[in-house]
Amino acid sequence: MSGAVSASTLPWLGAGLAHTLTRGRAHHALLVHGPAGVGQLDFALELARAWLCEAPRPHACGACRSCHLVAERSHPDLRVIVPEALRAEAGLPEEGAAASDEGKKTRKPSRAILIEQIRAALEFSNLTAARGVHKVVVVHPAEALNAVAANALLKTLEEPPGAMRFVLTSGDAQALLPTIRSRCQGVALRAPGREEALAWLRGQGVAEPEPVLDACGGQPLRALELVRAGLDAAVWRQFPQWIARGESAAVAGWPLPVLLDALQKLCHDHALAAVGQAGRYFADVGRVGAGPGTGLARLTEAAAWLRAQSRHADHPWSAALATEALVQGTRARLQPPHPTPQNLHPNTTQSLRP
Ligand SMILES: [Zn+2]
């Protein structure tokens, strides 16, 4: 949950934050962009907190009523617009607390920002500020806006009502509509260096951050999230063996996108090992081996199979079944061709799609 860290505790964002807050009159629409996972949402919320703060200084004081309300996501002059699937990450309460538990189980949370959300934000932008001068709408991430929602936002983004400020975030600004990009002033966030990220993770209580940080492609926030979900260095080291032995119980309960990502990285490293190179994510993958004679062609096929499965990774219908199919399917594909009967598992050829 984002509430546990804030931009003020992410050292690599500090200089950019200070610059944005002190460079004079802020543009009414900012696009906070950078490599995925450097803290775009934290940065945007910190800007909102500073603008709404009641103390007379550029940075948020952290002590006034407004600062508390922003921290609780209940400030009347702030709207945080995220896909339903990201509400918890953004520190927002679940939508429609009245919805029955039964309803939650059967409906998959949306990964898109819907037109109704943008309409509500535009209505909000026409209201008078409840507490002070500014009103802020945070849209995270802007690439989750579908074309209809993006178009609905365009006009207001160009000429927002007086007190209104928009902060859009993006981990892939090039993927946004040029019309969105051109209406915003860009704020580029930098990724931390490896040593800086490792030091920060140690400061968050992660004892051995190296394997997890590497597994996340150097994204420290993602690494912290994985460690908090139980995927620490020890787990990461054992992963290649678990898969080689088909131990799906060891990864039971992992979020499917995380498992898929890990399996894809494992496949990648087996391919490196097959040409005599060290693994990038799993240092000693060469010792586990993909089975003599597996060959690059078969590893490529395994990677393609995993990519196909990843298109269905959000399926809620049976996480346990999907985990089993993924582990056994990957294991079988990492074996040499013509597997012995004990290498075959009933699920190995089965797609996750029913
Ligand atoms: Zn304050």
Side-chain angles (χ1 to χ4, degrees), residues 53-55 60-64 66-67:
C53 175
E54 285 155 16
C61 73
C64 73
S66 266
C67 282

